[in-house]
Structures are given as structure tokens and as C-alpha cells.
Amino acid sequence: MDCIKVTNLTYQYPTSQQKVLKDISFSVKKGELCAIIGANGSGKTTLCNAVRGFIPGFYKGEMTGEVLVNGINVQKEKMGDLALHIGFVFQNPFTQISGIAKTVYEELAFGLENMGVEPDKIHERIECIMKLTHIDEFRDRDPYQLSGGQQQRVALAAILVMEQEVLVIDEPTSQLDPQSTDDIFEIIWQMKEMGKTIVLVEHKMEQIAEYADHVIVLEKGKVVMDGTPKEVFTDTDILRYHTRLPQCTRIALEMMKERISFSKIPITVEETIRELKKTLEI
Amino acid sequence: MLNEKRGLKADFTLITILIIPIAIAVNFIIGSLVLTLKLPLYLDSIGTFLVAILAGPWVGALTGFLSIAINSIADPTLFPFSIIACALGFIVGFMARRKMFTTIGRFIIAGIITAFVAMVMSITISYIFYGGFDTSGNALLLGTMVTAGIPFWPAVVVINFISEVPDKFISLLVPYLVIRGMSERYLHKFSNGSVFIDARKAREEKKKNK
Amino acid sequence: MERKNQNIIKRWNPLTLLFLIILLAVFSVLYNYKVTLVIVMIMVITAMLAGEGHNFLKAWIKSIVVICAICFVLQSLFIPGQQVLWEFWVFQIKRESIGRAIILCSRILGVGSAILLGAKLIDMSSLMTVLEKKGISPSATYILLSTSNIIPQMSKKMNAIMEAQKSRGIETDSNLIVRAKAFFPAVVPLLLNSLVSAEERAITMEARAFSASCSKTKIRDVEDAKSDKIIRILLAVILLLGIGGKIWIVLK
């Protein structure tokens, strides 16, 4: 079943001369982790905003086409009510704080209070999410006083605790150090295990190759590639779109230039080891 | 068209609600920065004027009032002056809506009006509540002048002219410049944004026609 | 559960405390300095009972007392009058000016101490929870709560900017032009940053269902005991009696 269905989406910011998204169509199945990649300025963030319904409601401008999430027409639904269906996390950890919570615990409760969840249930859900995201240790700290990585984990937890089925996550790790990046990814993989449908914008191709079910490549506002990580990363067309390849794939491609042959192009570390063993044994 | 709905309720969108606390904090911090730098001004209403110009008179009035009201926790003698901040926020927001901040010429007129209102109100409030001698540095200066034999009213007017006019001009100039440099995409989010966008478009067209 | 451990004053509902503060402030404005002195005594005792005595007194001396002293000196020196009580150098202290100084300082003392006491005793977020339950819009309480949280946050940011300016060699004790020049590079990024962060904050609030149309709940439950309601009614009655008494005195 298609959980997210985008058809002929075209969008232009109120003041810009050019269209940021041009005739975009794709669909994401329920429970799928869909990664959106592409060069800077290719429209990834705008696409996330469209899927979450911030476009055109919040940013104004002209939009044509349709975005359906779980059968709901996102642009026709009230922007505030979409929060009950779609979780949204973005880059900047410092602005993803409600600004009125004194502790991390209250920060997590904020979304649930707004949803009108009963207090008993709120406590239960927060406890559960805090364990899952490993933020239990700073439950009583002021969210402002946390490091960027910790804040981003809190931001992610504050959305996860709301238990929406669909998550839109826009470059959650671009401002974080490697350790925090790993922590964030671990949480995202767990969410996938739990059956959430996830749209993820990311630059870390290794992780995408390993975990995504579905990769969409954007270039100048158009979908230029759409397929499994294997299909996308092993297609040499991808090099035209200013995206990085997973390191393993790059190494393999370099080795192929040196006439070391691979039976198939690997995209993950495991595959590379397997392929290399095969190649070297012969 | 966009953002055409205006009025008390339409002015308070989510983003303006979020920007009011930030503007109050900006007032507070620039106020303390001015003290650290020992500049001979107050400049404690830059945040208020910025949101007033962007989001209109009601938001400006609320921001101005809250800003000084919060400061009066530390210095209760400031509280009566929150009426002035409230009125100035309103007037600046109102003038912005009437396109008074779209060109330099109009900006200067708006600055003169703001400074004049600030001066008159400041003298009035200070006289009603404190007989002219409040706890600001001005009071000491006034006292010195009066003791030296200068009549009360001329002294009050001169002092308030010196302290209010440059202060209000700079306090308006900073937001004016910031808004000039602001992207249209961002301006669109505020109820007065279309005023500035239309002015820019008109200016560009004029250039083309020449 | 945590409320049980709290002392007699802090156990009160924040709204009750707010009533008390307003009552004390109004009384000190309406009546003369003797009443104000009694009221200030009541405030100090209240602060002590709440376990904030030390905190309150420290802040009180640093702000209210200093301001009153300045006010008293300025008023008694410069407010015009006829009857000279004391004279030295170019200054004259007159009976009328002393009178005005006492009235003014009494009011500042009363209202200022009341506000300060309120700031020490009332927990903002509890008060906002109560107000929201009484029907005040969440947007209004958000503005107040967020403001009280954001100021220390932004001060820190400003300090960081100032440190950076200093390390670039701009001294706060150099001449006026240099100091004025330091002002703009510190302020413009602050304004632009705060505008951008407001936009992202709006997205955050939308994502957290702030503007969802469903009814909201609160995990914090602020106790509003029967005793609170009774105290509030009592305070309101005293307030009305006080205002009535003042009117009676004036009319007589």
C-alpha cells in the first residue's frame, strides 16, 4: 500500500522566478525508509516541507499537483492538525526546542499535551521513548543547556513520542559530530524496525546504502532517479548529479578502472568484502 | 491576495507570537550592551520597533509594553514608562502599515514623529509620576540645571530633546536597515510584509522604465 | 506529591499568591508611608515563611532600597517649595519637597517590593498552567513563559558576541567612536539570527501540534484547594474594604 503518494508536484516560492520543484511524482510504501538525496539546492528540503504540508500554507507561493499521506490530501488538511499524522524533524537542533519547557521531560510532554493525551498515558509514553533514545540521563536538565547532539536527540524523541505513523526527517545530522550522528541514525533505524514510514534527507551515503529501502535522487527540482539503493548507486548516471557515492562503491569503481573485475558493484561494506574475496581468490 | 487580512486577531500569527519574546529579549540585551559599551543612549526599543514595523501596531504595542513591564521587576520606577513603549510600538506599527518606512524621505518623517511623541510622553509621564525627577541620569542633569538657575520647563525640553531624538532615530534606523536587507520570502510571513515587497517592486519597475 | 514537602506559603495556589501581591501593592499606593512600612514588614515575613527570606532581602536591598534612596535625594533636593528647612551650598531642602519624596518613595517601596516578592514566590509555569485552565489562550501564556526563559539564553549569546568583539581588539573602555563602531557588528547578526530562529521555531511548534485543533491537556496539576479559594475570597474582600476605606477617608 502506498503511504505517501506525490503526483505532479510543482512549486514556486512566492518571490522566486524559478520553480523549485518540477513535476515531481513518486510514492513511498507503508513501512518503507525512503532516502532523498541530491546536490545542495536541488529541492530536497522544499520537498520535505511539501510532504509535511508547510507548502504552500506556511511558505505561501504557488503549488500544483497533489500530496497524499495515508490518503489525506496534505494541502487541504489544516496545517496544525497534520501534526497528528506526520512527524517532522529538521537540521538545526537549537531551534527545535519549544522554548517554554524547563526540563527535557517537559519538552517531551509538550507535544502530547497539545494533542490532548491523558496525563497518565503521557508519562508512560515519555518513559518508553526516553529509554529508546537514551536521553533518560538528562531528563531533568534544561533543554537549552544540552549540546547540539543531545538537543537533536531530544528533538527527535519529542517527535517520536507523538507516535505518528509517518516521519519526515530533513538532514538531522548535518550539524552534528560523528558520535552524535551515529546515535541519531541508530534511533532512525529503530523507528524503521517499528514499522514507521520514513522520508529521510541525508548526505551520508554509506548509511543510506545500508538501511534505506528506496532512494530518490533530485536534481534541479526534478526526480532523476528512483529505485532501490542497489539500483541507484550502481547506475553510473548518478555521478552526473553531484551526489557522493558510498565509499565502498567508489573504491570498487576505482578498482574496476584498474581492471580488477567485480561480478556486481557493491554498495555496503559487507558486500565489498564478499566481492573482493571472490575476485582475489580467482 | 496574500496577507491582506489585517486587524487585531489576524496580526497575531504563530510566527508573530514566537517573535514577541525574541524581540523583548533583543530589547533587553541591546539595552545591556549599550550599558557595557557606555554609549550615551538607551536603544532599548530596537526589538519593539522591528516587530512593530513587520507585524503592525497591535503586536508593536504589546511588545513595547511587556518589554518595559518586565524591566520594572528590577527597577519599579520604570513601570509608568511602559505606557510610552506601548504607544510608540503602536505608532511605529501604524506608520509602517501606511508605507512610512519604504523610502528614506518617509523614514525621516516617521523618525521625527516618533521622536516627538516619545519626547512629549516622556516629559508628561515623568512630570506626573515623579515631578520631573525620575531615577534616570536625566534627572540628575535636570537637577543641576535647575539649581544653576535655568527655568524648569526649558531645561526639561532641552534634556528630553537631546536624549530622545538621536535615540529614537537610531532605534528606528537599525530595523529599517535590517528590513531592507531581508529576503522577500521572509517578509511574506508578516502582515506588513506586502507593504515592503510592493514598494520594492514599484522601485524596480521605476528603474526599468527609466 | 512534591507539594507536601513544601512550606506553608509555597503550597498556595499561584493565583492566590498573585491576589496577595496585588492586595499588598494596592494598599501601599492607597495609604501613607506608615501603612507601607507595615506592608513591607508583612512581605519580608512572607518571604521568610516561604524560605526565600535571604534571597528576597538580598535582591530587595540591591534594587528597591537603592532606587528609593536615589529617588528620595532627587525629590527632596529639586522639587520646588516655599518652606526651607535646611540649606547648604547651592542646595535647599524644603518641607514640600520632603513631603513629596516621602509619598513617592512609599509608593515605590510598596509596589516595587510587591513585584519583587511576586517574582520570588510565584512559579511562572504553574501560574500559566492555572491561567490556561481558567481560559487564557495558550498563545498568551506562551509569550509570557517563553520571554522569561529566553532572556538568560540571549544574554549568554550576547556575551559570546561581545567576547568575540573583544578578542578582535575592540575595547569597551576606548573612545566613543570605537565603542559605537563595536555596536553595529554585534547587533545586526543578533537581529538577523533571531528572525531566522523565529521562523524555524514556528515550524517546531507546528510539528509539536501547538496549533492542532484538538483540546489540550497538562501533565502538571496545580492544586487549587478549598483553602485557596477561601483565602482568595478573603483577600478580595480585604481589597474592596481597603479601597472603600480610602474613598471614605477622602470624602470625609
Side-chain angles (χ1 to χ4, degrees):
Chain A
M1 196 197 111
D2 286 340
C3 180
I4 301 171
K5 192 163 170 53
V6 177
T7 18
N8 308 113
L9 171 63
T10 299
Y11 174 71
Q12 185 171 352
Y13 279 109
T15 51
S16 70
Q17 304 299 318
Q18 286 165 336
K19 294 186 166 60
V20 200
L21 301 176
K22 295 168 197 154
D23 200 28
I24 287 186
S25 295
F26 68 92
S27 56
V28 182
K29 289 194 179 61
K30 193 170 168 11
E32 230 178 33
L33 171 57
C34 173
I36 298 175
I37 61 176
N40 285 334
S42 58
K44 297 175 306 236
T45 295
T46 312
L47 184 56
C48 284
N49 285 324
V51 172
R52 168 56 179 82
F54 289 136
I55 281 170
F58 186 77
Y59 290 98
K60 318 283 184 220
E62 284 165 49
M63 184 192 133
T64 55
E66 193 181 55
V67 179
L68 293 177
V69 175
N70 279 335
I72 299 166
N73 186 325
V74 163
Q75 273 68 33
K76 288 197 179 129
E77 183 80 4
K78 272 178 71 186
M79 196 160 53
D81 290 339
L82 280 171
L84 312 179
H85 305 286
I86 310 170
F88 191 83
V89 180
F90 55 92
Q91 297 185 19
N92 187 349
F94 305 103
T95 51
Q96 290 188 78
I97 288 178
S98 66
I100 56 171
K102 271 199 207 134
T103 63
V104 168
Y105 195 92
E106 284 177 24
E107 181 73 26
L108 295 204
F110 181 65
L112 295 174
E113 289 176 331
N114 289 335
M115 288 168 79
V117 178
E118 286 308 312
D120 289 348
K121 271 267 182 287
I122 294 182
H123 293 299
E124 220 171 89
R125 275 158 81 167
I126 293 177
E127 292 303 333
C128 171
I129 280 294
M130 290 224 269
K131 288 215 181 71
L132 195 76
T133 53
H134 308 290
I135 56 171
D136 210 25
E137 51 187 311
F138 29 85
R139 58 157 64 211
D140 293 324
R141 299 224 347 238
D142 178 355
Y144 275 121
Q145 307 298 331
L146 301 174
S147 73
Q150 291 166 331
Q151 273 177 333
Q152 190 67 308
R153 258 194 286 166
V154 171
L156 200 52
I159 291 299
L160 296 180
V161 78
M162 294 168 76
E163 294 182 351
Q164 303 99 337
E165 266 179 59
V166 180
L167 297 173
V168 176
I169 308 176
D170 183 11
E171 297 198 42
T173 64
S174 63
Q175 302 188 5
L176 305 185
D177 60 273
Q179 179 56 48
S180 311
T181 300
D182 288 348
D183 292 341
I184 295 289
F185 275 123
E186 209 193 296
I187 299 169
I188 295 174
W189 312 148
Q190 271 176 326
M191 290 300 118
K192 188 195 161 193
E193 298 283 293
M194 287 167 68
K196 309 250 178 202
T197 310
I198 304 171
V199 174
L200 172 69
V201 172
E202 214 5 283
H203 285 297
K204 314 250 163 30
M205 300 301 161
E206 292 72 32
Q207 275 88 343
I208 290 174
E210 193 114 18
Y211 293 99
D213 301 303
H214 184 170
V215 177
I216 289 171
V217 184
L218 283 189
E219 165 78 2
K220 293 188 180 133
K222 281 189 188 143
V223 173
V224 285
M225 296 174 90
D226 182 345
T228 62
K230 182 120 255 176
E231 286 163 2
V232 171
F233 289 128
T234 55
D235 187 338
T236 44
D237 272 1
I238 193 176
L239 294 171
R240 293 207 310 242
Y241 304 126
H242 316 284
T243 49
R244 281 178 45 238
L245 285 178
Q247 267 170 348
C248 308
T249 316
R250 279 212 312 268
I251 293 167
L253 288 176
E254 287 300 315
M255 287 169 87
M256 280 159 81
K257 276 187 203 154
E258 305 295 320
R259 289 163 194 273
I260 299 169
S261 69
F262 284 83
S263 61
K264 57 176 184 181
I265 304 171
I267 61 169
T268 63
V269 178
E270 241 171 76
E271 276 181 353
T272 316
I273 295 170
R274 213 183 316 136
E275 289 299 316
L276 270 177
K277 271 186 186 157
K278 252 194 244 169
T279 315
L280 295 175
E281 270 165 25
I282 296 166
Chain B
M1 255 212 45
L2 299 161
N3 289 326
E4 281 307 292
K5 260 203 269 169
R6 282 174 189 160
L8 187 54
K9 203 143 195 196
D11 282 355
F12 285 88
T13 61
L14 179 57
I15 196 156
T16 38
I17 288 166
L18 296 173
I19 217 160
I20 291 170
I22 296 178
I24 296 171
V26 164
N27 286 340
F28 186 80
I29 283 150
I30 294 180
S32 48
L33 173 69
V34 166
L35 286 181
T36 329
L37 290 175
K38 296 172 207 135
L39 299 177
L41 298 159
Y42 310 114
L43 301 184
D44 57 356
S45 42
I46 290 180
T48 306
F49 291 165
L50 182 66
V51 290
I53 294 174
L54 285 172
W58 302 109
V59 178
L62 178 66
T63 311
F65 172 76
L66 280 179
S67 219
I68 305 295
I70 285 168
N71 271 335
S72 23
I73 294 176
D75 179 356
T77 58
L78 287 176
F79 192 74
F81 295 97
S82 59
I83 304 165
I84 303 179
C86 180
L88 291 182
F90 188 90
I91 290 165
V92 168
F94 182 78
M95 288 195 294
R97 194 152 282 180
R98 292 291 157 94
K99 307 191 174 72
M100 289 302 283
F101 292 96
T102 49
T103 61
I104 288 271
R106 288 180 182 181
F107 166 81
I108 291 170
I109 297 170
I112 292 170
I113 295 172
T114 312
F116 179 74
V117 173
M119 217 176 100
V120 171
M121 287 192 78
S122 163
I123 292 172
T124 318
I125 298 270
S126 178
Y127 187 73
I128 292 175
F129 284 86
Y130 306 106
F133 299 97
D134 49 38
T135 49
S136 68
N138 282 349
L140 205 62
L141 194 60
L142 179 62
T144 318
M145 285 167 82
V146 170
T147 316
I150 300 168
F152 179 78
W153 288 108
V156 168
V157 171
V158 167
I159 288 172
N160 276 283
F161 184 84
I162 294 168
S163 71
E164 293 293 344
V165 175
D167 183 66
K168 292 301 170 288
F169 258 92
I170 295 175
S171 298
L172 283 171
L173 185 66
V174 174
Y176 176 77
L177 293 176
V178 167
I179 288 169
R180 288 207 110 176
M182 233 161 115
S183 79
E184 297 187 0
R185 201 175 75 88
Y186 198 81
L187 281 171
H188 254 274
K189 297 211 168 64
F190 295 96
S191 58
N192 277 359
S194 53
V195 171
F196 294 95
I197 295 169
D198 292 347
R200 278 186 201 177
K201 278 188 188 143
R203 210 173 302 144
E204 272 162 29
E205 251 165 55
K206 237 188 209 170
K207 264 185 205 163
K208 265 184 208 164
N209 291 341
K210 272 179 191 172
Chain C
M1 23 175 200
E2 51 188 88
R3 304 194 104 223
K4 291 232 168 66
N5 305 329
Q6 286 173 354
N7 55 60
I8 180 158
I9 298 294
K10 282 202 172 164
R11 213 181 307 155
W12 285 13
N13 185 286
L15 207 57
T16 316
L17 284 171
L18 189 65
F19 268 56
L20 176 69
I21 301 294
I22 292 172
L23 175 85
L24 294 174
V26 169
F27 263 71
S28 59
V29 172
L30 289 182
Y31 292 97
N32 66 14
Y33 71 96
K34 287 173 202 151
V35 176
T36 302
L37 287 179
V38 174
I39 283 172
V40 170
M41 285 301 288
I42 295 174
M43 289 190 212
V44 174
I45 293 166
T46 315
M48 280 164 134
L49 283 177
E52 295 277 347
H54 181 68
N55 259 337
F56 174 75
L57 279 176
K58 221 168 67 181
W60 186 68
I61 290 167
K62 256 204 284 186
S63 61
I64 312 292
V65 173
V66 171
I67 287 161
C68 279
I70 294 172
C71 237
F72 193 87
V73 171
L74 285 172
Q75 296 281 316
S76 47
L77 281 182
F78 300 128
I79 293 289
Q82 307 298 324
Q83 239 183 305
V84 178
L85 292 180
W86 192 45
E87 209 167 343
F88 64 96
W89 192 34
V90 294
F91 299 110
Q92 294 176 327
I93 293 183
K94 291 145 244 132
R95 180 176 289 279
E96 291 88 344
S97 43
I98 290 277
R100 275 219 51 170
I102 289 174
I103 293 172
L104 186 66
C105 286
S106 152
R107 285 180 184 168
I108 295 172
L109 188 68
V111 175
S113 312
I115 296 175
L116 189 68
L117 184 68
K120 293 280 172 216
L121 290 189
I122 300 174
D123 176 45
M124 268 296 264
S125 52
S126 301
L127 180 64
M128 292 305 139
T129 308
V130 175
L131 290 179
E132 237 176 88
K133 276 190 181 151
K134 299 260 174 224
I136 298 226
S137 110
S139 301
T141 55
Y142 179 88
I143 290 174
L144 293 174
L145 261 186
S146 169
T147 305
S148 66
N149 283 353
I150 209 168
I151 288 177
Q153 207 44 45
M154 295 270 280
S155 303
K156 230 184 252 170
K157 218 181 255 174
M158 195 72 235
N159 282 340
I161 295 174
M162 284 312 295
E163 285 301 311
Q165 295 290 338
K166 270 186 199 163
S167 67
R168 264 187 242 150
I170 294 161
E171 289 300 326
T172 49
D173 41 352
S174 46
N175 72 50
L176 183 65
I177 294 166
V178 176
R179 282 180 279 133
K181 272 187 185 159
F183 179 73
F184 287 95
V187 165
V188 173
L190 179 81
L191 286 177
L192 287 173
N193 273 334
S194 44
L195 287 172
V196 171
S197 67
E199 180 179 18
E200 291 189 357
R201 189 57 71 70
I203 298 245
T204 302
M205 298 298 279
E206 287 287 5
R208 305 277 176 84
F210 184 68
S211 55
S213 46
C214 47
S215 63
K216 299 180 185 207
T217 51
K218 285 271 163 203
I219 50 165
R220 181 196 290 268
D221 185 30
V222 181
E223 205 181 334
D224 196 15
K226 215 174 188 172
S227 58
D228 276 304
K229 283 176 191 143
I230 295 170
I231 296 173
R232 281 208 293 272
I233 293 170
L234 265 173
L235 290 172
V237 169
I238 298 173
L239 182 66
L240 288 177
L241 283 178
I243 295 172
K246 176 73 184 179
I247 293 172
W248 190 65
I249 291 171
V250 172
L251 288 180
K252 218 173 68 172

